Amino acid sequence: MTFHLLLVVAAGLFCVGLFGALSQQSIVMIMMGIELMIGGTIVAAADFWHFLAPAAPSGQVVVIAAVVAMAAEMAMGFAVTTAIYRARQVDMTDMAAELKG
Amino acid sequence: MSTTDLVLLGVLGVLAPACGVLVFTLDSMARVTFALLASLCCVGGVVTVLGLPYLGVVIVLMMVMEMLIMAVFMIAYMMNPAGLMPMSMLHNKGGSLVVSAVVFAALVAGIFAVPWPGRTGVRPKDTTFQAGTALMGDQMLTMVTLGFVLLATMVGATVLATHRGRYDRFGDDLDQRPAKDPAGAGVGR
């Protein structure tokens, strides 16, 4: 049962982050939502590794890949925020609507 | 799994989503950042309790540094006094709530409906050693790919964040000299 409950925790983290990524206007707040979603992925991967296949290192590799994704998302997010703020004094997604298509 | 581990998992499992909710309900951007830090530290704690101490500690250390940088960015870019005042910056809150709730319900239904396989294999004595040998052996291609991803991130982030590139300063043919600093400063002013 612990396995299932931890997966529910992971799903909760993912969906809280999804709400933030969909609803926030600030680019940095959207990045926070994505971080929470990746946090949910990490919990799920560690859960799978521990309860289903501890002998296989694949679960650990998924955790490492997710951590790298977190770092890359953060760095690129800050860089994009800096670039768009410098170009247009904008840090809100709604004000950057002309980026569409 | 011992009773202590179960209690720890229960506490961390409740705290992680709760702090995640605080991220999108608190007003001050500084508090928001530290709520996210608390949530991701709980994620690191869960990973540690599940038997991956190396990865758990790496996650906690990385998140502490990331969130401190994020706090600086949040306060620097917020338009009201340094992002420290109450404010709401949401769009389509109702739609986002519905989408998130539907996804959560679907995920929970899947979690309890799927016939998960039983546990196969035994846990190695040293899980850090298991990760190391995998990354330097069977999963070497993954490790190489992740390395290139990080390198590309460093280059891309620097290019995006740099105010002026070499072509801005020296022209398209790199034959122009940079203009003199109009403000004048430094030793020779």
Side-chain angles (χ1 to χ4, degrees), chain B residues 110-171:
Chain B
I111 288 165
F112 288 101
V114 169
W116 298 104
R119 191 176 193 179
T120 54
V122 290
R123 207 177 115 183
K125 281 182 185 171
D126 188 350
T127 54
T128 309
F129 185 78
Q130 182 193 33
T133 47
L135 288 174
M136 292 299 123
D138 297 340
Q139 300 283 346
M140 177 61 94
L141 185 59
T142 312
M143 190 63 195
V144 171
T145 309
L146 293 179
F148 276 113
V149 166
L150 284 175
L151 178 64
T153 302
M154 283 188 264
V155 174
T158 308
V159 167
L160 275 173
T162 305
H163 185 39
R164 292 186 300 178
R166 56 202 293 237
Y167 293 101
D168 293 325
R169 282 179 283 138
F170 299 121

Side-chain angles (χ1 to χ4, degrees), chain B residues 14-114:
Chain B
V14 170
L15 277 179
C19 292
V21 171
L22 282 180
V23 171
F24 303 112
T25 50
L26 286 174
D27 287 325
S28 155
M29 292 307 136
R31 284 184 206 148
V32 161
T33 312
F34 287 108
L36 182 60
L37 173 59
S39 179
L40 292 174
C41 281
C42 291
V43 169
V46 169
V47 172
T48 305
V49 175
L50 284 176
L52 302 173
Y54 173 73
L55 292 178
V57 171
V58 164
I59 290 171
V60 171
L61 291 177
M62 198 177 107
M63 288 309 128
V64 168
M65 292 309 298
E66 269 195 23
M67 291 310 135
L68 290 179
I69 297 170
M70 192 177 249
V72 173
F73 268 77
M74 283 302 291
I75 294 172
Y77 282 129
M78 298 314 264
M79 63 302 294
N80 75 18
L84 298 171
M85 303 280 285
M87 61 189 298
S88 174
M89 294 184 308
L90 299 176
H91 56 184
N92 196 16
K93 187 178 179 183
S96 308
L97 264 177
V98 170
V99 170
S100 308
V102 168
V103 170
F104 182 68
L107 285 174
V108 171
I111 288 165
F112 288 101
V114 169

Side-chain angles (χ1 to χ4, degrees), chain A residues 2 22 30 33 42 44 46 48 52-53 55 61 63 75 77 89 93-94 96 100:
Chain A
T2 313
L22 290 177
I30 292 174
I42 289 174
F48 282 130
L52 294 188
V61 175
V63 173
Q89 307 293 304
T93 49
D94 290 1
K100 284 191 295 189

Side-chain angles (χ1 to χ4, degrees), chain A residues 4-29:
Chain A
H4 293 82
L5 289 178
L6 276 175
L7 281 183
V8 171
V9 169
L13 273 173
F14 185 87
C15 290
V16 170
L18 181 65
F19 166 75
L22 290 177
S23 66
Q24 295 292 324
Q25 288 186 318
S26 165
I27 298 172
V28 186
M29 289 296 283

